[in-house]
Amino acid sequence: MSLCDLAPTYIRAIAPYQPGKPIAELARELGLDEHRIVKLASNENPLGASPKALVAIEAELDQLARYPDGSGFELKAALSAKLGVGTEQIVLGNGSNDVLEMAARAFLAAGVSAVYSEHAFAVYPLAILAVGAEGITAPARDFGHDLDAMLAAVRADTRMVFIANPNNPTGTLLANADVLAFLEKVPANVLVVLDEAYGEYLPAELQSDAVDWLARFPNLIVTRTFSKAYGLAGLRVGYALASPAIADMMNRVRQPFNVNSLALVAATAALNDDEFIARSYALNQLGMRQLTQGLRLLGLDYIPSYANFLAIRIGNATAMYRRLLEHGVIVRPIGNYGMPEYLRVSIGLASENNQFLQALEDVVKEQV
Ligand SMILES: *Cc1c(COP(=O)(O)O)cnc(C)c1O
């Protein structure tokens, strides 16, 4: 007997999450100079962390021997003031990944199901399968979520629907009016998890209205993160907003000290670093234009994106991914998202985008 057989069948069925390759790993594997490697594989902020967060971290260092504030009082107060929600509506997570898992652990189990879209964020099926629930994949439309198909996929045993808006890895966006119409139609006993990890990259006129919907839809869970525009991916901090009853259930499965003390102070400071968010947004807009123009010159198709990355149609994406690695450029093949012909590239600094486009041109030419 293999010791693996001791794990429940539903755990053995899980395909592990495939993260972007770290720079140090590629440097080791191919003997490349770390400083010449460009990583555009995990949708990280190329500007680094919010400077206000860095100052807050320094001031907190002499407290590292202490446990963090398990209630996250200061960060919740800052979120409450900024967003106009009660602190009892906030659940803090070790990354928003953690709050997605808490939602699954609190409300899913063997015998129930949860719906997500084809080509949606890989963490949803992981969170669903880890608790023995059944995942239902609704077909996508033009690589984006098809809310009608998602509604049709809801069964009597469905407890939760996951919507990523914008979605990763496609960058597609659902209009506020469409998400609202979905909330009005979905059964009131089905929780809707609206994952807004990339919301800060949307222009003002497309920003989410989800916080305003919380009072009307007690089945709504909105999740956000400090990993992307705020530049704090390495610290791991995100949050969920929900009705007090839902937040209470999620907090029951939360590890008591799930958000570390540096992450708490950094996120609190970063939350009001409007200047940094504006700079990150502007850089992303420029980089998006730079990349899309470069791709058009190369004759390559891409999915129009509302986030800080682009899915590019490239043919044999796995082979192209490997060749780009040899050129010192790390991107992400997304065959595991049902898109074997696509590479996902994160928007970087102008110089990084350039290095990517140059390497891409080289490998595309080598191919013909
Ligand atoms: C990156 C990402 C997250 C955020 O993950 P963290 O755990 O907060 O770092 C959540 N949802 C989607 C769709 C993402 O792409």
Side-chain angles (χ1 to χ4, degrees):
M1 189 204 71
S2 154
L3 287 177
C4 291
D5 295 336
L6 295 174
T9 319
Y10 59 85
I11 297 293
R12 280 179 278 149
I14 293 175
Y17 182 80
Q18 295 168 7
K21 186 182 276 294
I23 288 176
E25 185 178 304
L26 179 63
R28 276 196 306 273
E29 285 175 1
L30 296 186
L32 300 176
D33 177 356
E34 282 196 23
H35 301 289
R36 300 189 52 196
I37 294 174
V38 168
K39 183 187 176 205
L40 299 173
S42 300
N43 305 340
E44 296 147 341
N45 191 327
L47 291 176
S50 149
K52 288 192 173 161
L54 296 179
V55 171
I57 286 169
E58 277 212 49
E60 185 66 16
L61 287 176
D62 63 357
Q63 296 298 316
L64 279 185
R66 306 253 176 231
Y67 279 99
D69 171 9
S71 75
F73 179 86
E74 298 287 347
L75 177 53
K76 281 190 187 171
L79 286 165
S80 170
K82 187 179 173 94
L83 302 172
V85 299
T87 52
E88 70 287 357
Q89 292 183 268
I90 304 170
V91 182
L92 300 180
N94 183 33
S96 60
N97 215 303
D98 190 26
V99 292
L100 294 170
E101 282 189 19
M102 277 185 246
R105 280 211 304 284
F107 293 100
L108 302 178
V112 306
S113 66
V115 172
Y116 54 88
S117 173
E118 182 186 13
H119 313 309
F121 189 40
V123 163
Y124 311 147
L126 288 178
I128 296 164
L129 293 176
V131 296
E134 184 185 345
I136 302 173
T137 312
R141 182 171 30 181
D142 298 333
F143 291 103
H145 288 36
D146 180 343
L147 291 176
D148 294 330
M150 294 183 80
L151 193 61
V154 169
R155 306 189 308 218
D157 69 2
T158 299
R159 298 283 181 276
M160 193 172 287
V161 176
F162 290 89
I163 297 174
N165 205 35
N167 181 45
N168 171 18
T170 58
T172 48
L173 180 75
L174 296 162
N176 275 311
D178 295 335
V179 180
L180 181 58
F182 179 85
L183 285 166
E184 285 166 343
K185 282 183 273 188
V186 79
N189 61 351
V190 173
L191 299 172
V192 177
V193 178
L194 186 56
D195 179 348
E196 300 187 331
Y198 299 96
E200 293 81 8
Y201 289 107
L202 293 171
E205 69 276 13
L206 295 178
Q207 289 280 321
S208 168
D209 293 336
V211 172
D212 299 338
W213 301 334
L214 286 166
R216 214 182 128 196
F217 300 100
N219 57 331
L220 175 63
I221 301 173
V222 180
T223 68
R224 294 183 177 169
T225 184
F226 289 93
S227 295
K228 306 287 159 55
Y230 291 97
L232 299 177
L235 278 181
R236 314 302 303 126
V237 50
Y239 61 95
L241 307 172
S243 55
I246 298 292
D248 175 34
M249 294 312 289
M250 289 173 64
N251 271 314
R252 293 185 199 199
V253 297
R254 187 176 62 83
Q255 280 187 33
F257 303 106
N258 64 329
V259 186
N260 72 73
S261 49
L262 300 185
L264 284 172
V265 296
T268 306
L271 187 65
N272 291 311
D273 196 346
D274 296 337
E275 196 264 340
F276 181 73
I277 292 296
R279 233 169 0 113
S280 303
Y281 172 82
L283 181 78
N284 192 60
Q285 291 282 312
L286 280 177
M288 185 67 82
R289 228 171 297 151
Q290 180 189 3
L291 279 186
T292 52
Q293 280 171 6
L295 292 171
R296 280 198 294 273
L297 284 175
L298 291 173
L300 292 172
D301 267 350
Y302 54 86
I303 302 172
S305 170
Y306 291 88
N308 66 342
F309 55 83
L310 264 178
I312 302 168
R313 185 148 184 229
I314 194 107
N316 185 345
T318 310
M320 297 303 251
Y321 163 69
R322 292 220 186 88
R323 294 242 198 82
L324 286 168
L325 287 181
E326 287 160 15
H327 284 71
V329 177
I330 310 173
V331 296
R332 195 81 153 259
I334 47 177
N336 56 330
Y337 287 87
M339 298 171 68
E341 298 202 315
Y342 285 79
L343 287 178
R344 191 194 68 193
V345 57
S346 308
I347 311 295
L349 300 171
S351 56
E352 296 172 322
N353 300 333
N354 238 334
Q355 192 173 332
F356 164 70
L357 285 170
Q358 190 58 58
L360 188 64
E361 183 172 1
D362 290 348
V363 301
V364 165
K365 277 187 182 149
E366 284 164 22
Q367 214 188 23
V368 287

